[in-house]
Amino acid sequence: MKEKWLLHKIRHGDMAALDTFITQVYPTIYAFVYRKMQGDDSAKDITQEVFLRFIRYLPTYHEEGKVIHFLYRIASNLCVDAYRKQKLHLMEDSEAWMNGLGDDIDVHESILKQCAQETLLYNIGKLPLPQQDVILLHYFHQLTYREIAQVYDMPISSVKSRHKAALAKLYQMMKGERQDENR
């Protein structure tokens, strides 16, 4: 009920209500974005953009469940956009770097041992984006399958199948890394 009251006040220009709302949900959205972007510095910028877009969409927003679900969806979409931009920049940077290498330089890839949580987050980052979201929202933000289904407007069975597939892939990735370490 307090959420609806805050939204009503925000729609009518109450800046104190907006501050209260952002103060309440900012840490949750930032944590989601931070994990999704794997600790990248852009997490703060993306989180701010989430709230800017929310304010822009507020006049046409129709309450369909919790507002936090709507914010998760905006955050997820913005993270996908950021990934695309990063991928493009990485491709350009790696091409420039490769062009600068001479033929006589032997490039060796060093493997650093990371703590279990960093490795897990890295492997979550290698999952397809829909599976990443399910894992992050379920385990790091304690959303139920039903709530995740509401966020993405899909059947609960789809959320469960994404969850199961993601866990299977994570298990295989972690198992493969352990085998590589033992060699």
Side-chain angles (χ1 to χ4, degrees):
M1 192 64 169
K2 186 176 182 179
E3 184 177 276
K4 288 183 181 183
W5 178 78
L6 276 175
L7 288 178
H8 176 74
K9 304 266 296 170
I10 293 168
R11 282 186 173 131
H12 288 88
D14 187 340
M15 297 311 284
L18 179 62
D19 287 343
T20 301
F21 176 75
I22 290 174
T23 302
Q24 288 176 357
V25 297
Y26 187 94
T28 304
I29 297 301
Y30 175 73
F32 174 72
V33 172
Y34 184 83
R35 288 183 183 111
K36 190 142 175 68
M37 296 304 295
Q38 298 183 353
D40 187 53
D41 292 337
S42 64
K44 287 182 181 178
D45 294 335
I46 292 171
T47 304
Q48 288 178 347
E49 182 64 25
V50 167
F51 288 99
L52 290 173
R53 289 202 183 179
F54 172 71
I55 292 167
R56 189 178 322 139
Y57 297 141
L58 193 59
T60 59
Y61 173 71
H62 299 288
E63 297 168 24
E64 298 172 11
K66 297 181 180 179
V67 176
I68 192 80
H69 297 168
F70 182 60
L71 294 172
Y72 279 136
R73 180 177 259 170
I74 294 171
S76 180
N77 290 338
L78 287 171
C79 288
V80 168
D81 292 344
Y83 279 134
R84 288 184 184 136
K85 288 177 186 173
Q86 278 181 347
K87 190 174 181 181
L88 179 63
H89 291 301
L90 284 175
M91 286 174 50
E92 291 170 352
D93 291 346
S94 65
E95 285 175 13
W97 182 76
M98 291 298 281
N99 290 335
L101 289 177
D103 292 333
D104 59 337
I105 296 178
D106 192 13
V107 179
H108 294 282
E109 194 174 327
S110 65
I111 301 173
L112 302 174
K113 290 188 178 186
Q114 300 174 347
C115 72
Q117 187 174 10
E118 288 175 349
T119 303
L120 177 62
L121 286 173
Y122 173 76
N123 286 327
I124 289 171
K126 292 181 354 185
L127 293 172
L129 294 174
Q131 291 177 1
Q132 282 181 27
D133 290 352
V134 169
I135 294 296
L136 291 174
L137 291 173
H138 187 68
Y139 291 105
F140 291 92
H141 296 273
Q142 287 76 43
L143 265 67
T144 64
Y145 294 131
R146 173 167 283 139
E147 290 172 325
I148 296 169
Q150 290 172 350
V151 169
Y152 292 103
D153 193 28
M154 67 172 54
I156 294 174
S157 59
S158 297
V159 173
K160 288 180 180 179
S161 64
R162 286 180 181 181
H163 177 258
K164 183 176 179 179
L167 289 181
K169 285 181 184 178
L170 282 173
Y171 175 75
Q172 289 301 317
M173 286 187 268
M174 299 296 279
K175 182 178 166 185
E177 286 179 8
R178 284 191 204 116
Q179 289 174 351
D180 288 343
E181 287 176 4
N182 293 332
R183 290 184 189 171

